[in-house]
Amino acid sequence: MISLFYFLEKNVVAFDVRLKSIVNNLATNGRVVFEMVDLNEGKGYDPSTGIFTAPASGMYVFDWTILTERGKSAHTSLVVNGKLKSWCFCHDDVSKMYQSCSKMTVVKLKQGDTVWIGVFSGPAVINAKYSSFSGYKL
C-alpha cells in the first residue's frame, strides 16, 4: 500500500536558486540566469537558461530578491511565457548604497508554461551573494 505521504512527495514542485556571480549591465529584456541550485523538486528549473518550465498545471507562488551594487539599479520582472507579469524596482541614485528589493506573486500556469526573471528597464547591475529566485506549486 502506498502512503499519502509518498503520493504528496512525488507531486512536489519547488525550486530555490541563487546567482553565482555579479550580473553587470544586463540590458532591457535580458534574462537573469540564477546558476546555483539549492532545490529543484520536480526538475522544472534549468540553471543553464534561468527558465522554469511548469511540470504540471496549477497555481504557483514565485518570489525573487535582488540586491544591486552600490549606487546602481535593477528593474526586474517576473516573465511568464514572454509577458511581464509582476515588477520589482531597485534604484538608488542618492545615497550610493546597496539596494535590496523583493517581490512575491501568484500565477496560474499550464503544464509547459515558462517563467523567468527579466529586466524591464536596463541596464541592471545585480550583486550575486544576496540575489535569489524561488517558486513552488500550491
Side-chain angles (χ1 to χ4, degrees), residues 42-108:
K43 306 296 183 213
Y45 184 79
D46 182 346
S48 67
T49 63
I51 297 174
F52 171 78
T53 303
S57 296
M59 298 298 287
Y60 285 80
V61 177
F62 295 99
D63 66 78
W64 70 102
T65 299
I66 300 295
L67 179 70
T68 65
E69 286 293 308
R70 290 179 183 264
K72 301 295 183 180
S73 63
H75 307 157
T76 58
S77 176
L78 187 77
V79 182
V80 178
N81 295 324
K83 296 180 180 167
L84 305 178
K85 292 291 184 180
S86 187
W87 298 263
C88 192
F89 181 78
C90 285
H91 184 76
D92 179 21
D93 273 347
V94 179
S95 65
K96 303 297 183 200
M97 300 299 290
Y98 293 98
Q99 204 55 267
S100 178
C101 60
S102 58
K103 177 68 181 195
M104 181 177 74
T105 193
V106 180
V107 180
K108 186 174 183 177

Side-chain angles (χ1 to χ4, degrees), residues 21-54:
S21 58
I22 188 172
V23 173
N24 268 315
N25 298 317
L26 188 59
T28 300
N29 299 320
R31 184 181 315 129
V32 183
V33 178
F34 297 85
E35 311 98 327
M36 304 281 294
V37 177
D38 293 323
L39 177 71
N40 196 8
E41 293 294 319
K43 306 296 183 213
Y45 184 79
D46 182 346
S48 67
T49 63
I51 297 174
F52 171 78
T53 303

